[in-house]
Amino acid sequence: MADLQDEPHSVGVGAEDVPVPAPVLAGGALDRAAALLAVHPVADGCNTLVWTLRQSPYHDIDTPDTGVDTDIPRLRAGGVGAQFWTLLVPPGRPREGAAADQVVSDTLEQIDVARSLMRRYSDSLCLALSADDMADARNRGRIASFLGPVPGSTLTDSLGALRAFHALGVRLLAPAGAPWAEEGLTAFGHEVVKEVNRLAMLLDLTGCPPAAACQLAAASKAPVIISNTGAAALTRHPGNVTDEVLLALRAANGLAMVTFDTARTGDSLHAVADHLDHVRAIAGPEGVGLGASFGAERGGPRPTGLTDPSGYPRLLAELLERGWSEADLALLTWGNAQRVLRDAEFTARAAQHRRTP
């Protein structure tokens, strides 16, 4: 595995991460979007398929599966090159509010299902632990698969669970709902942030109250992400991010990844594009990404034109028609996600150097 560079990539990504763009195909915006995705595939920040397969293990995602909105053919049709597979139990499920030991057990089961998914579909999916793995998977025609986030409530008064999750391949932690991050960071919460930074994991602030999100973004030496969100300025929803938090993310070189959820981002592709426009305007071109939150069984409401991962080219075509540059779209789809991973790895390496006598 290649060594990290000696400087963090605070804006954009390094030249070794972004291949020379292929010539843009003549024709309309959809052709241009397809050409861009062939070089800069989507790194999607949130997919709930692990939970779905845990509840309904009979689904075969190697072929078009009408029972779920995510399968390998549609991931490939949409140009998805990297996927963050969330290991959280969806809100409102029976195990919400369970005791800490039950949450740990549930999380371990989710990890087991996710790793089984990688083994079963190893021709298309491969476990990714780093930004280099992400690039390597793309170069080999596979979908880089990151595990996480896991819930921060699994950590009580010990960092042992966090280190164990890291050893199992988890690379994201979600502080939302954890007692050490609910009303400001506790002393233990500061230790969690330091350990996350040391392990080159990412903090996923999805669902954190604005004050807590801003404090976490400021406390972390590495960029933080929000893996699935909309803009609260456009749609008032408790899961959407405020402009205050977007500005905090911008200051911390973080990343807000916009979801495709009718309740949070509207009922059409155009409405989702409005949220992407707003997040880019506040957080900057380096602060916006995609976190669709696909992975459910069919039947739930989805924005028209974005009912499954195959809709990504249509979304990019819409953004091209709105005047987004191809450079900004390359950041949106791939570059920003890889940059935050590389910056987290740089932060971890710098911390190890500081501890070296």
Side-chain angles (χ1 to χ4, degrees):
M1 185 177 296
D3 288 337
L4 294 175
Q5 294 186 3
D6 292 332
E7 296 295 334
H9 305 82
S10 58
V11 178
V13 293
E16 78 283 3
D17 296 330
V18 180
V20 176
V24 176
L25 296 176
L30 193 59
D31 289 334
R32 294 172 61 199
L36 187 141
L37 284 168
V39 182
H40 307 284
V42 171
D44 185 300
C46 181
N47 190 296
T48 64
L49 184 65
V50 172
W51 167 264
T52 299
L53 295 181
R54 182 179 166 191
Q55 305 306 302
S56 305
Y58 56 82
H59 291 298
D60 178 10
I61 66 166
D62 210 16
T63 58
D65 188 334
T66 58
V68 291
D69 63 22
T70 298
D71 53 47
I72 290 169
R74 280 178 287 185
L75 288 169
R76 293 199 179 281
V80 176
Q83 182 67 70
F84 291 54
W85 302 99
T86 180
L87 304 176
L88 304 177
V89 173
R93 298 298 181 177
R95 296 178 186 187
E96 186 177 25
D101 57 348
Q102 183 62 57
V103 175
V104 172
S105 176
D106 286 344
T107 303
L108 289 173
E109 283 191 42
Q110 297 276 83
I111 294 171
D112 182 63
V113 172
R115 293 182 69 99
S116 295
L117 186 70
M118 307 303 116
R119 291 191 297 270
R120 182 176 180 185
Y121 302 103
S122 59
D123 289 343
S124 297
L125 308 177
C126 64
L127 179 66
L129 304 176
S130 67
D132 280 342
D133 289 349
M134 181 175 166
D136 184 58
R138 176 192 59 190
N139 294 340
R140 292 187 293 136
R142 296 183 181 179
I143 299 169
S145 298
F146 289 92
L147 301 186
V150 295
S153 55
T154 56
L155 314 179
T156 51
D157 58 354
S158 170
L159 298 175
L162 179 62
R163 289 189 282 266
F165 290 145
H166 180 269
L168 290 171
V170 173
R171 291 297 179 265
L172 297 95
L173 178 75
W180 46 266
E182 280 184 312
E183 298 179 2
L185 277 177
T186 65
F188 177 68
H190 282 284
E191 291 301 312
V192 171
V193 173
K194 288 180 182 178
E195 188 67 3
V196 165
N197 288 168
R198 189 188 71 81
L199 294 170
M201 295 176 70
L202 294 175
L203 286 171
D204 178 0
L205 308 187
T206 301
C208 288
C214 290
Q215 187 180 14
L216 284 158
S220 176
K221 294 185 180 299
V224 297
I225 71 166
I226 300 178
S227 66
N228 61 104
T229 189
L234 300 186
T235 304
R236 298 185 66 85
H237 185 282
N240 284 351
V241 66
T242 65
D243 285 359
E244 174 192 14
V245 175
L246 289 174
L247 289 171
L249 286 177
R250 186 169 192 158
N253 297 317
L255 178 60
M257 309 177 90
V258 173
T259 189
F260 305 166
D261 183 323
T262 55
R264 297 164 70 183
T265 49
D267 60 2
S268 70
L269 179 152
H270 302 287
V272 172
D274 289 342
H275 281 261
L276 286 164
D277 279 339
H278 185 86
V279 172
R280 184 180 66 151
I282 305 300
E286 297 84 16
V288 59
L290 298 164
S293 303
F294 290 127
E297 292 186 294
R298 300 298 291 269
R302 288 286 182 187
T304 302
L306 294 173
T307 56
D308 61 62
S310 68
Y312 273 119
R314 292 189 291 273
L315 177 61
L316 264 61
E318 169 70 17
L319 297 176
L320 282 166
E321 292 180 340
R322 292 183 180 214
W324 284 52
S325 70
E326 292 184 13
D328 282 357
L329 286 176
L331 291 175
L332 172 75
T333 58
W334 184 265
N336 289 336
Q338 185 157 62
R339 188 261 307 166
V340 295
L341 288 164
R342 285 216 181 276
D343 283 0
E345 291 163 10
F346 174 86
T347 299
R349 197 172 85 170
Q352 290 166 7
H353 284 324
R354 285 194 297 270
R355 294 185 182 192
T356 301

